[in-house]
Amino acid sequence: MAEEKSDGLLAAIETPADLRALARGELRALSDELRQYLIETVGQMGGHLAAGLGTVELAVALHYVFDTPYDRLIWDVGHQAYPHKVLTGRRRRLGSIKQRGGLAPFPARAESVYDGFGVGHSSTSISAALGMAVANRLSGSDRRVVAVIGDGAMSAGLAWEALNHAGSLDVDLLVVLNDNDMSISENVGALSNYFARLLSGRTYAHLRAGGKKVLRRMPAAWELARRSEVHAKGMVLPGTIFEEMGFNYIGPIDGHDVAALVTTLGNMRSLPGPQFLHVVTQKGKGYAPAEADPIKWHGPGPYDHVSGTLFKEASAGPTYSQVFGQWLCDVAEQDARFVGITPAMREGSGLVEFEQRFPERYFDVAIAEQHAVTLAAGLACDGMRPVVAIYSTFLQRGYDQLIHDVALQRLPVVFAIDRAGLVGGDGATHQGVFDLTFLRCVPNMVVMAPADENECRQMLYTAGQLDQPAAVRYPRGRGPGIAVEKTMQALPLGRAELRHSGASGLALLGFGTMVEAARPAAEALDATLVNMRFVKPLDEALIAEVAAGHRAIVTLEENSVAGGAGSAVLEVLQRIGSAIPVLQVGVPDAFVEHGTREDNLAAAGLDPAAIRATIERFWRGQGIARVRPAG
Ligand SMILES: Cc1ncc(C[n+]2csc(CCOP(=O)(O)OP(=O)(O)O)c2C)c(N)n1
């Protein structure tokens, strides 16, 4: 835990009520202490940093002006909510964030009454806040509701659906746009350009209107405003899009000027109807390394906060994301039809090199998973080979598009599904444990799960050669360390790989990561071990053969047991009339909370030791106990 000055202001803040007891003139010093506390504490364990450094003054001002937790404060995504957590009774536990049993990575209603809404996936805040505002009106409550949303999160359709609705309702709602011109990487799209224009135009107007010195400490914005003066002169400032949609728009104001924030929020607090405050902040504010490279400091691992040096883990081989990125570059070089699409996850999905080498065929569509999938469908209609690089958890947003726009029309779209399985620190909101369940029921889909890095490359290649939609789902991080071959060869469709033929009568059918995880159990029990490779189409011939030649089957997957790959095996067995006993090993029917990936696997009973114990118990229950001693 970071040192805190016992005589400082921050040490005395246990709840926002303590904050509200401070004099306005003390808020700046408090903000400085809070920022320093974040820089030091996040350095010890890693976590989301740059976004939170940008919301320090905003969090202080919001809790100062609003009567939280009675008034509702909804942070969009929630990665920028660390200052809010510190101010709401969780200062001492900040060092435990994202760790097993520690603070949740994002606001969570179960964790604190100050967390108005559980978040993690972006762009939900305005809808949720609107729902609360409507509920308050219907129940006659005078509760205020505030949504804080970033310019990146504002790029999602969901946010605009909510604005569209809110602007037509007579409810008291405040939306604060936290505009730092960044998503995880640079924010993209016409809206982002619009915000920049708005900023320059409005800044000009503010300066003209009496030298409000809105952005004096923000040289870049100042320069932009100065340059835009030439264009803005003589121009009548148009209403903002938010005004056109029925909001009272105020801003832009400097989001690091805590006094100005308190004054403006104080004025807006009692205004009736939908209100919109445009706040300009800097991602990484107040920490030089993060200001200089906010992408790198979006979610760093542990670092030395004095030198700004990240403590890098020793890398052994490529991550699955890197294997994917390399494959896409290689295949794009061979075949001009391949294009790459990411919904705002360039770095995480391993697409940095692809963008540099194939800028014309790279599309960051902003946080717009639905659009990403239907864009791919359109590209495929006219002869391209689109590859949608997407995290398992975020594909949930594009599910109807996958069914209706891609699969129904049998379009050759490749879904490169990263972070499939348990993801660790980002916790319950980000676990990728449903995709096998929701993909395998969709007609025309091919669904693959690689057991190692090389197989991942070959599966991606296979997917790209098919004339139908295909998904390859791979986990976060590194694999077992199998060398990736330069050559690419399509795998036979729907064919599993027999890894070991055992003599005991037990067969383990592993999917993806679970092939390697099942190995100790297979060796201990002399069980047959199969790398199933395909979840769809399943290798039905092999399943029939295994059922005929063994006395029990165990299926293993890093996905929800409910409706997953094991269920698919059971459906086949049922169809062929086999009554062989089957144990399904996978993620149980419960949300898995944050921790390391290893913690998550253990919590789900999916670490190799737990797997082995579970299988041995099951096998013993079959009345056949030939277990070799451990080790
Ligand atoms: C639906 C969804 N897609 C992608 C993400 C991953 N993600 C987390 S934060 C973020 C960028 C958000 O940018 P912005 O709202 O501007 O906040 P900032 O980090 O700039 O403060 C993204 C893309 C997510 N959380 N949810």
Side-chain angles (χ1 to χ4, degrees), residues 110-326:
E111 183 176 287
S112 169
V113 291
Y114 292 94
D115 293 355
F117 195 64
V119 281
H121 285 201
S122 91
S123 318
T124 60
S125 63
I126 306 176
S127 297
L130 181 60
M132 293 171 196
V134 170
N136 293 333
R137 192 185 61 185
L138 293 176
S139 62
S141 158
D142 64 351
R143 194 196 290 281
R144 314 300 297 190
V145 187
V146 184
V148 183
I149 181 164
D151 56 303
M154 194 65 114
S155 62
L158 179 57
W160 289 88
E161 291 168 26
L163 285 177
N164 182 44
H165 189 201
S168 70
L169 293 181
D170 180 27
V171 290
D172 300 338
L173 167 72
L174 170 60
V175 175
V176 178
L177 171 64
N178 170 29
D179 181 3
N180 58 18
D181 203 20
M182 291 293 292
S183 193
I184 291 180
S185 32
E186 304 82 12
N187 201 9
V188 293
L191 185 65
S192 170
N193 298 338
Y194 174 72
F195 288 152
R197 280 204 308 279
L198 203 60
L199 175 58
S200 58
R202 294 273 154 167
T203 305
Y204 173 75
H206 274 237
L207 299 174
R208 275 280 181 248
K212 281 200 172 176
K213 301 166 187 133
V214 184
L215 299 166
R216 188 184 268 165
R217 288 196 304 281
M218 306 185 64
W222 180 270
E223 176 59 19
L224 188 64
R226 199 191 56 73
R227 273 196 261 134
S228 74
E229 182 162 349
V230 182
H231 305 288
K233 241 178 210 156
M235 181 179 86
V236 178
L237 216 59
T240 67
I241 194 168
F242 305 105
E243 284 163 312
E244 306 292 342
M245 293 181 79
F247 280 77
N248 177 39
Y249 172 95
I250 293 183
I253 67 167
D254 179 353
H256 298 302
D257 183 343
V258 71
L261 282 173
V262 166
T263 303
T264 309
L265 287 167
N267 290 338
M268 294 183 85
R269 188 180 186 282
S270 48
L271 292 179
Q275 305 293 322
F276 195 99
L277 176 62
H278 187 167
V279 165
V280 179
T281 60
Q282 183 177 13
K283 203 159 175 175
K285 175 76 177 173
Y287 188 47
E291 285 186 9
D293 189 350
I295 299 176
K296 178 172 154 191
W297 292 86
H298 177 84
Y303 55 89
D304 173 12
H305 76 269
V306 179
S307 65
T309 315
L310 288 166
F311 302 127
K312 281 242 169 66
E313 51 168 318
S315 65
T319 62
Y320 277 101
S321 310
Q322 288 167 335
V323 170
F324 160 71
Q326 188 60 54

